Amino acid sequence: MQDRVLSLLGLAAKAGMTASGGFSAEEAVKSRKARLVIVARDAQANTAKRMTDKCTFYKIPFRFYETKETLGRAVGKQDRACIAVMDRGFAESILKVSDDSGKGGGCGENENHGTG
């Protein structure tokens, strides 16, 4: 399932439907363009808290997934702590794939994240 989520993130990035990095992802959330936010499991605690708080406030789903390096590689960039998916279709597909994976290594909404 990991490869499927990363593949979908890559396709969304190639289609220009992602905002990657803390600032860009946060702006996408605030402007309500984001449909889903992926936060790296090894993101700094303050970054993860800020993004999850923003997503909760604006009612945008979020998931913790993989590492900053893996997320960055999936979208063709350097390390990325957060990626906002701005297309509804890609977001729904990623949520479906990640939710179908259950506890076997998929995305987790309420998992522990980096401590700093």
Side-chain angles (χ1 to χ4, degrees):
M1 290 301 158
Q2 288 179 355
D3 293 342
R4 183 81 174 128
V5 170
L6 297 175
S7 294
L8 287 166
L9 281 174
L11 288 171
K14 286 181 183 177
M17 292 291 135
T18 62
S20 63
F23 181 77
S24 297
E26 188 173 339
E27 288 300 310
V29 169
K30 284 197 245 182
S31 66
R32 299 180 189 264
K33 292 180 183 177
R35 301 289 179 237
L36 169 68
V37 174
I38 304 291
V39 181
R41 287 185 176 137
D42 62 346
Q44 296 290 322
N46 63 336
T47 301
K49 181 171 179 2
R50 186 178 70 245
M51 288 306 299
T52 57
D53 287 350
K54 293 277 185 209
C55 288
T56 301
F57 181 80
Y58 289 101
K59 296 180 171 48
I60 294 171
F62 63 90
R63 297 292 186 267
F64 288 99
Y65 193 70
E66 285 295 330
T67 63
K68 293 185 287 190
E69 180 184 0
T70 304
L71 291 180
R73 208 172 329 126
V75 297
K77 309 255 185 201
Q78 301 235 342
D79 296 2
R80 291 292 185 256
C82 343
I83 299 173
V85 179
M86 298 182 294
D87 178 78
R88 184 177 311 232
F90 280 118
E92 288 173 355
S93 295
I94 291 169
L95 285 170
K96 183 178 182 327
V97 169
S98 66
D99 291 346
D100 286 349
S101 66
K103 294 184 180 180
C107 293
E109 185 171 1
N110 296 315
E111 296 180 8
N112 292 334
H113 48 79
T115 58

